[in-house]
Amino acid sequence: MARIGIFDSGVGGLSVLREIRKLLPGEACVYYADTANCPYGSKTRAFIIGRAVAITQLLLDRGCDIIVVACNTATAAAIATLRARFPVRFVGIEPAVKPAALTSRTGTIGVLATASTLSSAKYRKMKETYGDKVAIAEGVGQGFVELVEAGELTGPRAEAVVRASLGPLLEAGADRIALGCTHYPFLLPTLEKVAAAYAVPDIRVIDPAVAVARQLAKVLAEEGIPLRGGADGTTELLASGPDGILKKLFQTL
Ligand code: DGL
């Protein structure tokens, strides 16, 4: 049976865990939420690397064979260090710029991510790759992580917060919104509700979590890590701080 370690700054990575469980329902997952240090988006690169190294060590000590960095911010800041430091495979996540760029009809895409991700070298490279195909409007999902960590996913306040960051991207003509933070998919109903008020035809919000689960299955096969199969795998939830919302959101998955 594969034992899959997954981590994020908080509950956001549960949006990735959900896709992993769908694709590999018989395996064992250990999910670590660094809620004592959330959000990562405003922290320094050195701090995020330090946390990513410590959490990886903890997950390996609990017998994980592979690590999913279910956080765009930690992937951008730390995955190169993790790969150089630990003898296991890592699967990361990055903003869904590629599928957005390849399917946009207006020729403009929007990217929503944390400040740390948008200023990373990894994201800059992505922009260089796709920036000649489409115009890219980007913005920080200001206050999104805080809403999700508070379990406030819908309602007038959530809509106002979402509108403030999403509105400018839609006004710039974006018809594809690439999500670049694993917390943001939990706001999908609100993102879609707000987007519907702007008259952009065929608007789509793209979550890269499905692609991460597929990549994980591919890497497990490449590594020859045997799968248990079946549909009754387990998930262990761990947190460095408060875990109320973590358990609540996990139950709704
Ligand atoms: N969920 C994380 C990400 O994908 C981090 C959000 C945060 O802690 O700021 O970027």
Side-chain angles (χ1 to χ4, degrees):
M1 165 173 27
R3 202 164 162 80
I4 303 158
I6 302 161
F7 75 90
D8 179 43
S9 62
V11 302
L14 292 179
S15 63
V16 179
L17 174 68
R18 170 172 58 192
E19 299 306 327
I20 293 173
R21 295 243 58 107
K22 271 191 216 158
L23 195 65
L24 301 162
E27 311 313 310
C29 294
V30 183
Y31 183 92
Y32 188 93
D34 197 7
T35 51
N37 296 295
C38 187
Y40 279 176
S42 51
K43 302 281 194 306
T44 64
R45 189 164 167 265
F47 179 86
I48 298 165
I49 291 174
R51 291 306 300 153
V53 166
I55 295 166
T56 297
Q57 189 59 59
L58 181 146
L59 291 169
L60 295 180
D61 291 346
R62 293 182 95 91
C64 294
D65 331 279
I66 190 162
I67 306 292
V68 178
V69 185
C71 173
N72 293 257
T73 309
T75 298
I79 204 162
T81 306
L82 295 175
R83 285 184 171 136
R85 192 140 171 181
F86 294 99
V88 290
R89 294 286 297 271
F90 290 86
V91 176
I93 186 163
E94 53 189 23
V97 171
K98 183 179 174 184
L102 296 180
T103 60
S104 171
R105 294 191 187 169
T106 60
T108 299
I109 68 163
V111 180
L112 281 174
T114 65
S116 175
T117 296
L118 293 178
S119 64
S120 68
K122 217 169 184 324
Y123 176 69
R124 214 173 311 126
K125 251 199 210 138
M126 258 186 133
K127 256 173 76 171
E128 278 163 22
T129 308
Y130 296 100
D132 59 340
K133 295 175 189 65
V134 287
I136 303 178
E138 62 200 22
V140 172
Q142 213 64 257
F144 288 20
V145 170
E146 289 76 4
L147 279 177
V148 175
E149 289 292 327
E152 193 179 341
L153 309 182
T154 55
R157 210 175 76 93
E159 283 167 31
V161 169
V162 163
R163 192 174 303 110
S165 295
L166 178 62
L169 308 187
L170 299 172
E171 279 156 18
D175 66 340
R176 297 291 179 271
I177 303 297
L179 297 185
C181 172
T182 54
H183 280 74
Y184 299 176
F186 285 108
L187 293 167
L188 203 60
T190 300
L191 283 158
E192 286 176 344
K193 186 171 176 193
V194 169
Y198 292 76
V200 184
D202 188 30
I203 173 94
R204 276 184 232 165
V205 180
I206 306 174
D207 173 10
V210 182
V212 172
R214 272 196 230 116
Q215 176 65 10
L216 169 65
K218 188 169 155 243
V219 174
L220 285 169
E222 277 170 15
E223 293 298 298
I225 297 171
L227 299 182
R228 178 168 162 272
D232 58 349
T234 56
T235 301
E236 189 184 348
L237 295 180
L238 306 168
S240 58
D243 65 357
I245 297 297
L246 182 69
K247 288 186 175 148
K248 203 170 144 202
L249 269 184
F250 177 70
Q251 250 137 42
T252 64
L253 288 186

